[in-house]
Amino acid sequence: IKTDPLTIRRVTKPDFNVGDVAYDGSKVYYEGLNHGRSLKRYSHIYCFDAETGESETLYDRNDRGFYGLCVVGKTLLAESILVKDDLETVTPTFCRVEKGKVTEIVKPDITIGSSVLFDTMSESGAASRTVGDRLYTVATVKDRNVIYSFDKDMNGTVIFDKPGIIMQLDTDGKTI
């Protein structure tokens, strides 16, 4: 998108389904897939450089579903589930995404996101957000939700732990 004069240019095919998006300067990272007539459980990750107008595929194997894209300290992270024969694992992991490579960096003993009442509540926001070089995410521990804070090396600390349900997080760029 250019603002003066206003121009908008499509960077995906018309039937491409964009899932999640993260930004870092002129780079726009996005996750999605050309679904065609059937929904797939896996997805791919791409990068569009707004300065050059070029797109590149970062990960296109059909073995993972991605969501929760974020950039922490210039590193692209994503929540990921393994997919085999259109079946997926239950607990997502945090992964570092590089061209052609995904590295699991956190396999929590907790469930990322809110699985408390998940089947009865509508979730329309995000369970993970970044502020500066920190990633904040909702996690399920036993019968409640907590908020974790991760540094760029994915060392995690619980920063909020009280009885109750948290479905989404948001930020103003300074606070959660």
Side-chain angles (χ1 to χ4, degrees):
I1 299 176
K2 292 185 180 189
T3 57
D4 191 19
L6 179 62
T7 58
I8 298 173
R9 181 175 70 95
R10 177 184 293 278
V11 297
T12 63
K13 294 181 180 178
D15 56 349
F16 188 90
N17 184 19
V18 175
D20 205 4
V21 177
Y23 309 91
D24 184 30
S26 68
K27 302 220 185 248
V28 179
Y29 299 98
Y30 58 100
E31 165 272 324
L33 196 64
N34 251 355
H35 285 294
R37 294 181 153 277
S38 64
L39 181 64
K40 304 292 184 201
R41 304 306 254 171
Y42 57 84
S43 57
H44 300 156
I45 297 180
Y46 305 87
C47 178
F48 174 75
D49 188 323
E51 287 182 5
T52 66
E54 299 292 319
S55 290
E56 74 172 316
T57 301
L58 295 182
Y59 192 82
D60 64 354
R61 292 177 44 194
N62 298 339
D63 61 349
R64 292 180 177 274
F66 295 100
Y67 57 97
L69 297 182
C70 60
V71 178
V72 178
K74 300 292 183 189
T75 300
L76 178 62
L77 303 176
E79 295 173 50
S80 172
I81 50 175
L82 290 172
V83 176
K84 184 176 181 178
D85 300 326
D86 267 349
L87 299 173
E88 59 189 52
T89 56
V90 177
T91 304
T93 60
F94 277 114
C95 297
R96 179 181 302 111
V97 181
E98 302 166 282
K99 182 150 178 79
K101 180 178 170 185
V102 169
T103 306
E104 290 184 358
I105 53 177
V106 174
K107 274 190 157 179
D109 296 330
I110 46 95
T111 300
I112 298 169
S114 178
S115 62
V116 177
L117 296 177
F118 184 74
D119 58 343
T120 60
M121 295 186 76
S122 173
E123 183 176 11
S124 61
S128 297
R129 293 286 191 213
T130 57
V131 176
D133 284 350
R134 297 202 70 83
L135 169 68
Y136 298 89
T137 187
V138 173
T140 302
V141 177
K142 298 183 183 177
D143 62 347
R144 67 190 182 285
N145 295 130
V146 301
I147 299 175
Y148 269 87
S149 171
F150 290 95
D151 65 17
K152 63 182 177 57
D153 297 318
M154 296 310 289
N155 298 309
T157 306
V158 174
I159 61 166
F160 181 86
D161 184 355
K162 293 185 179 180
I165 298 169
I166 305 166
M167 293 298 291
Q168 303 171 22
L169 296 176
D170 208 348
T171 180
D172 62 3
K174 297 176 187 170
T175 60
I176 291 289

